Amino acid sequence: MMFDANSEVVVDTQWLADRQDDPNLRIVEVEMSPERYQNAHLPGAVFWNILTDLLLPDLRMNLDPTAIEKLLSHSGITNETTVVAYGSYPGTGAWIFWLLKLFGHSDIRVLNGGHQKWIAEGRPVTAELSSFSPVHYRAKPIDASLRVFSDEVYAAIDRPERVLLDVRTLPEYQGEHFLMKPPEGSEKAGHIPGAVHIEHTLTLNEDGTFKSLNQLQALYTSKGITPDKEVFPYCAIGGRSAYTWFVLKHLLGYPNVRNYDGSWNEWSRLPDVPIEK
């Protein structure tokens, strides 16, 4: 069983190519640094820098409504704009889907395959910087149903009706890496006790597109992650787990999924919480 790649949440490259000139559509490229964007981005795409636009200096997500309103306003995005998000890193668009849904944006689409598939198909790219006249954006109050906090994560340990889902790389899960690199000084590496490990990239085909619904369902149910359970995905800083939230919630229809956006960046620094390796 396949899912519709031109749905209300996922669109394919042809869908986007046909609508690039739509004034009510804004393409957003999200990257760690501007170099890739400057050299070859989708025509009309605006650039969001993960480190400066989306994260605070301590690597927590910047969930200040004023900051989100400023970012979207300067990107020419109104509350009625259709946003199509993508990046070169797998799953970036789905993280942005979660982030904008957190503030109540109504129409966000994830570009299936992202930058990788667009380039592989030989579609046009540009080095011309995109800018738009600022508009007015009003963020809604944060939707608490999309998030879970550390106290509830702690309470979920050893609870069979709840699943802690670690979507990081295996070296991160095993405690060899801390936030994508070996731990230094007092940094604590490992995973939350009892967490199931399924790296987020296992949901993708080689071309960066989502696997079929049957493949995705089999991936999660084989590890006991079934729709009757409450699922709390986490990663290092909450982006890869937001992607996993999107897959479970919006592709597979799991009813009870909340992203632990504090993730390992927070858990590893909390006093007196258990850590396994």
Side-chain angles (χ1 to χ4, degrees):
M1 179 173 59
M2 299 294 291
F3 66 92
D4 182 359
N6 294 318
S7 67
E8 293 186 357
V9 295
V10 178
V11 296
D12 64 23
T13 51
Q14 188 59 52
W15 184 97
L16 183 56
D18 292 341
R19 292 164 176 80
Q20 279 189 281
D21 296 327
D22 183 345
N24 195 47
L25 183 144
R26 187 71 66 242
I27 307 168
V28 176
E29 176 168 319
V30 183
E31 303 285 357
M32 292 287 286
S33 67
E35 283 76 18
R36 184 187 295 271
Y37 170 84
Q38 290 171 342
N39 294 331
H41 58 273
L42 277 62
V46 295
F47 171 66
W48 290 357
N49 188 314
I50 290 175
L51 293 177
T52 57
D53 291 325
L54 302 178
L55 300 180
L56 298 168
D58 63 2
L59 299 183
R60 287 182 299 126
M61 289 191 208
N62 187 351
L63 301 183
D64 175 13
T66 302
I68 291 293
E69 289 176 343
K70 180 179 179 181
L71 177 62
L72 271 64
S73 297
H74 285 195
S75 301
I77 295 171
T78 71
N79 291 76
E80 289 73 42
T81 301
T82 297
V83 176
V84 179
Y86 78 96
S88 59
Y89 186 78
T92 302
W95 168 28
I96 300 306
F97 184 101
W98 175 86
L99 182 65
L100 296 188
K101 282 297 180 187
L102 197 65
F103 291 95
H105 194 78
S106 58
D107 193 359
I108 314 134
R109 318 289 177 100
V110 176
L111 179 61
N112 199 15
H115 192 269
Q116 174 185 345
K117 187 165 177 57
W118 186 273
I119 294 294
E121 293 174 345
R123 295 185 182 276
V125 293
T126 181
E128 181 180 350
L129 300 180
S130 302
S131 61
F132 299 91
S133 300
V135 295
H136 179 72
Y137 191 91
R138 175 70 69 180
K140 294 181 180 178
I142 284 180
D143 184 350
S145 72
L146 307 189
R147 308 175 71 196
V148 63
F149 295 97
S150 59
D151 55 347
E152 202 169 351
V153 171
Y154 183 87
I157 295 173
D158 296 328
R159 292 274 296 275
E161 72 277 13
R162 289 180 169 176
V163 180
L164 299 174
L165 176 56
D166 190 315
V167 306
R168 299 174 298 167
T169 63
L170 191 58
E172 289 174 283
Y173 178 79
Q174 293 177 332
E176 299 164 14
H177 284 175
F178 172 85
L179 303 193
M180 307 292 285
K181 61 180 179 58
E184 301 174 354
S186 61
E187 293 174 346
K188 292 177 288 186
H191 58 267
I192 302 173
V196 176
H197 179 246
I198 301 178
E199 188 170 346
H200 84 291
T201 53
L202 294 176
T203 62
L204 296 168
N205 297 308
E206 287 188 7
D207 65 357
T209 58
F210 294 108
K211 290 182 176 178
S212 72
L213 293 183
N214 284 343
Q215 290 173 307
L216 294 173
Q217 193 79 58
L219 173 68
Y220 290 110
T221 56
S222 68
K223 294 290 189 76
I225 301 172
T226 49
D228 59 306
K229 296 178 180 176
E230 194 165 18
V231 187
F232 299 156
Y234 73 91
C235 58
I237 59 173
R240 288 173 287 175
S241 53
Y243 165 87
T244 303
W245 168 89
F246 174 84
V247 172
L248 290 170
K249 183 81 174 179
H250 286 277
L251 298 188
L252 294 179
Y254 278 44
N256 298 309
V257 188
R258 283 182 284 156
N259 180 29
Y260 177 30
D261 56 274
S263 280
W264 199 253
N265 187 39
E266 176 183 77
W267 186 267
S268 65
R269 294 181 169 92
L270 294 173
D272 304 321
V273 295
I275 292 175
E276 282 185 352
K277 289 188 177 181

